[in-house]
Amino acid sequence: MEMFAKSRNLIPFLLRSRKCCYNTNSTAAIFIQRRFDSVKAGEQLDLYNYREDFDRDDQHQQTLNFPGGRVPITPRMKFISELSEKRLPCYRVLDDDGYLIPGTIFEQVSKELALNMYSTMVALQTMDTIFYEAQRQGRLSFYLTSTGEEAINIASAAALTLDDIVLPQYREPGVLLWRGFTLEEFTDQLFGNKADYGKGRQMPIHYGSNKLNYFTVSSPLTTQLPQAAGVAYSLKMDKKEACVVVYFGDGSTSEGDFHAGLNFAAVMEAPVIFLCRNNGWAISTPVTEQFRSDGIAIKGQAYGIRSIRVDGNDVLAVYSAVRAARQMAIKEQKPILVEAMTYRVSHHSTSDDSTKYRCVKEIEQWRTEKSPITRFRKWIQRNGWWADQNETELRGNIRKQVLEAIQAAEKVEKPPLTDLFGDVYDKVPSNLQEQERFIRDTIKRHPKEYPSDVPL
């Protein structure tokens, strides 16, 4: 009550400062004092008066005093072009052969960090290969890999802290791996056994970890973007020295939630990094059929969001860009859009055959010549930090650990049938009780049709 009384005392001041005409008894008025003032938005809009496009030499130029900020008036009828004169450049540090590009500016990394990033990339690649093979053997029902996108996973994760909150899509297991999710935890989820945090109720690769600030993967496309804006705004309200990072693919930008999420974050000035993996393909749809704009980064300007395009297969470039984006998002309390240019080397998932819609030669070129792991390995070897013997030992050890984790997960029993109906309501409603009775009656009538490894 004391807090509410203080907030009511603030309302007349807030209303006068905003020149509003709300009734001070209304819920809307009470909400106003909870809302953070937009510090920079008005100033930024006024700066648009000085754009070079509009008669900058006219000392007596008239302006339209519009609620969003002053707008210059011109006697010329000029449409904004649908195409930029030049494509947005792509920030890169290492060339395809792992050499530093002369004059490049990037965040320096220590030997320890570089080797940790490389080892985790190899672990992700090995894990993907073995889990994919396990699905093909019928041991898993579904899987998808991050092949070709390992740099985005690991380098972006390395640029964050554990206080930063991650809202993934479904191709970011490397972020979770970097944060300390064990191979046993991965395999428990994939096999849906009793140790799975989701109790076997999610399909494979839908990982999540409350402890590691990693939201559980959600199948519906792009729902995580508006959620990320809200989560970031809550960090802002709590004055946390942290940000939100939300991952998505180029196909997600065709969804309404992409536009809603960016607009919410921009207007509310939420500290969130929108990290798009532009990998060229939304399942079988190429980017040429996704949009006519110059990729994703250019869309940020339309929403008033600072943006950058980065080479997603360059570990140092991704690390440097995300580190800088994080600092800006937290210090300036604003959203940042990062477009990471990469290529989905693998099939979209185990339900897909990408050779039906794209050239095998193209796939192999990106798998070999443009591999982010190979490029980074060349750089660390050139620094004298890595050798062939290290490579052999690393890959052998990781392969052994993954195989052991699979064998252990297969032996753990499945969650009991009762877990299907829990964790949603404090008291199970009658309709779910009826469904449980129906399932149990069906099992009694047809016991051979029910999996023998699932406890009743």
Side-chain angles (χ1 to χ4, degrees):
M1 290 300 293
E2 181 183 356
M3 183 180 73
F4 180 73
K6 289 181 179 178
S7 69
R8 286 184 62 84
N9 292 334
L10 284 171
I11 289 172
F13 168 76
L14 288 166
L15 293 178
R16 286 196 299 273
S17 66
R18 293 169 184 269
K19 298 181 181 179
C20 292
C21 55
Y22 286 107
N23 183 331
T24 56
N25 292 323
S26 71
T27 303
I30 294 173
F31 173 74
I32 288 176
Q33 66 87 22
R34 304 271 306 167
R35 168 87 183 273
F36 284 85
D37 282 317
S38 178
V39 179
K40 303 182 180 66
E43 299 172 3
Q44 289 173 342
L45 284 170
D46 283 342
L47 287 175
Y48 292 159
N49 289 327
Y50 307 104
R51 283 177 53 183
E52 295 182 2
D53 319 21
F54 295 102
D55 302 324
R56 62 179 179 179
D57 295 328
D58 187 351
Q59 300 297 318
H60 306 287
Q61 185 177 14
Q62 295 180 339
T63 61
L64 174 64
N65 189 12
F66 193 72
R70 290 177 297 146
V71 179
I73 291 175
T74 177
R76 292 180 293 146
M77 182 170 65
K78 183 178 180 180
F79 290 88
I80 299 173
S81 175
E82 72 278 13
L83 297 174
S84 302
E85 292 183 5
K86 296 181 179 179
R87 295 203 68 180
L88 288 177
C90 183
Y91 170 58
R92 174 184 277 191
V93 175
L94 298 175
D95 64 19
D96 288 342
D97 292 320
Y99 286 97
L100 286 173
I101 297 175
T104 185
I105 298 174
F106 66 98
E107 188 84 17
Q108 297 291 336
V109 297
S110 65
K111 174 183 177 181
E112 180 183 9
L113 177 58
L115 294 183
N116 197 1
M117 285 196 289
Y118 180 73
S119 298
T120 312
M121 289 170 68
V122 171
L124 176 59
Q125 183 186 60
T126 306
M127 188 175 83
D128 273 346
T129 301
I130 296 175
F131 287 152
Y132 189 91
E133 291 171 352
Q135 193 282 333
R136 288 303 191 227
Q137 294 168 356
R139 299 162 80 178
L140 297 177
S141 61
F142 177 82
Y143 194 73
L144 56 78
T145 76
S146 305
T147 309
E149 302 176 43
E150 295 90 352
I152 297 174
N153 270 249
I154 307 306
S156 65
L160 306 173
T161 73
L162 281 176
D163 291 329
D164 299 321
I165 299 174
V166 174
L167 280 80
Q169 190 175 18
Y170 42 60
R171 222 176 287 275
E172 287 80 35
V175 178
L176 200 48
L177 185 64
W178 177 267
R179 291 193 163 203
F181 208 65
T182 66
L183 292 174
E184 289 74 21
E185 288 174 306
F186 278 112
T187 51
D188 287 336
Q189 197 286 324
L190 292 173
F191 284 93
N193 61 32
K194 194 168 67 173
D196 170 28
Y197 300 134
K199 299 184 177 181
R201 294 178 297 196
Q202 284 271 27
M203 64 187 293
I205 64 93
H206 285 55
Y207 313 110
S209 174
N210 185 47
K211 179 179 66 175
L212 299 175
N213 273 336
Y214 189 97
F215 273 54
T216 301
V217 174
S218 178
S219 287
L221 203 62
T222 328
T223 54
Q224 73 273 22
L225 269 70
Q227 295 167 2
V231 175
Y233 192 68
S234 72
L235 293 179
K236 181 173 185 170
M237 292 179 71
D238 292 337
K239 295 180 171 55
K240 298 285 188 181
E241 287 291 317
C243 69
V244 170
V245 183
V246 57
Y247 295 84
F248 55 100
D250 51 273
S252 293
T253 65
S254 295
E255 296 285 337
D257 278 346
F258 166 78
H259 304 280
L262 264 66
N263 196 48
F264 277 136
V267 172
M268 305 302 286
E269 294 178 340
V272 52
I273 300 173
F274 293 97
L275 207 166
C276 176
R277 295 174 287 92
N278 186 349
N279 62 23
W281 295 90
I283 309 184
S284 60
T285 304
V287 291
T288 53
E289 296 178 17
Q290 275 288 334
F291 38 71
R292 284 293 178 265
S293 62
D294 176 17
I296 313 302
I298 193 68
K299 300 176 189 288
Q301 188 176 39
Y303 290 103
I305 295 179
R306 190 176 298 169
S307 309
I308 186 173
R309 171 177 285 166
V310 60
D311 183 347
N313 286 16
D314 180 347
V315 173
L316 297 181
V318 174
Y319 176 77
S320 300
V322 175
R323 283 273 291 184
R326 180 183 184 273
Q327 292 171 4
M328 287 185 286
I330 296 174
K331 182 179 179 180
E332 300 180 38
Q333 291 293 288
K334 61 168 53 178
I336 307 292
L337 173 61
V338 177
E339 177 186 14
M341 309 295 282
T342 183
Y343 189 84
R344 194 197 77 217
V345 171
S346 62
H347 305 303
H348 176 74
S349 70
T350 49
S351 303
D352 174 48
D353 179 3
S354 62
T355 62
K356 299 295 184 182
Y357 53 81
R358 59 182 184 174
C359 177
V360 174
K361 184 178 179 181
E362 174 184 291
I363 299 172
E364 285 306 309
Q365 183 184 23
W366 282 91
R367 185 192 304 277
T368 54
E369 298 175 24
K370 299 180 181 294
S371 166
I373 295 179
T374 302
R375 188 195 301 190
F376 194 52
R377 178 185 173 183
K378 290 177 180 178
W379 184 71
I380 60 175
Q381 281 187 310
R382 210 166 277 125
N383 287 338
W385 297 346
W386 199 249
D388 292 344
Q389 182 180 351
N390 302 122
E391 186 78 13
T392 302
E393 292 177 358
L394 174 65
R395 290 186 177 274
N397 289 336
I398 293 174
R399 180 173 178 81
K400 179 182 177 182
Q401 292 173 33
V402 175
L403 292 173
E404 289 176 349
I406 288 178
Q407 292 169 359
E410 285 183 312
K411 294 176 182 177
V412 179
E413 68 178 5
K414 301 296 184 184
L417 180 64
T418 307
D419 282 357
L420 267 178
F421 305 94
D423 296 337
V424 179
Y425 300 96
D426 179 47
K427 183 179 179 181
V428 181
S430 57
N431 64 315
L432 287 186
Q433 293 178 16
E434 182 181 352
Q435 288 180 30
E436 184 175 1
R437 285 195 298 271
F438 176 80
I439 290 177
R440 292 187 182 279
D441 289 343
T442 303
I443 294 171
K444 287 180 181 179
R445 292 197 305 270
H446 309 283
K448 293 182 179 181
E449 303 299 324
Y450 184 78
S452 59
D453 60 342
V454 178
L456 294 172

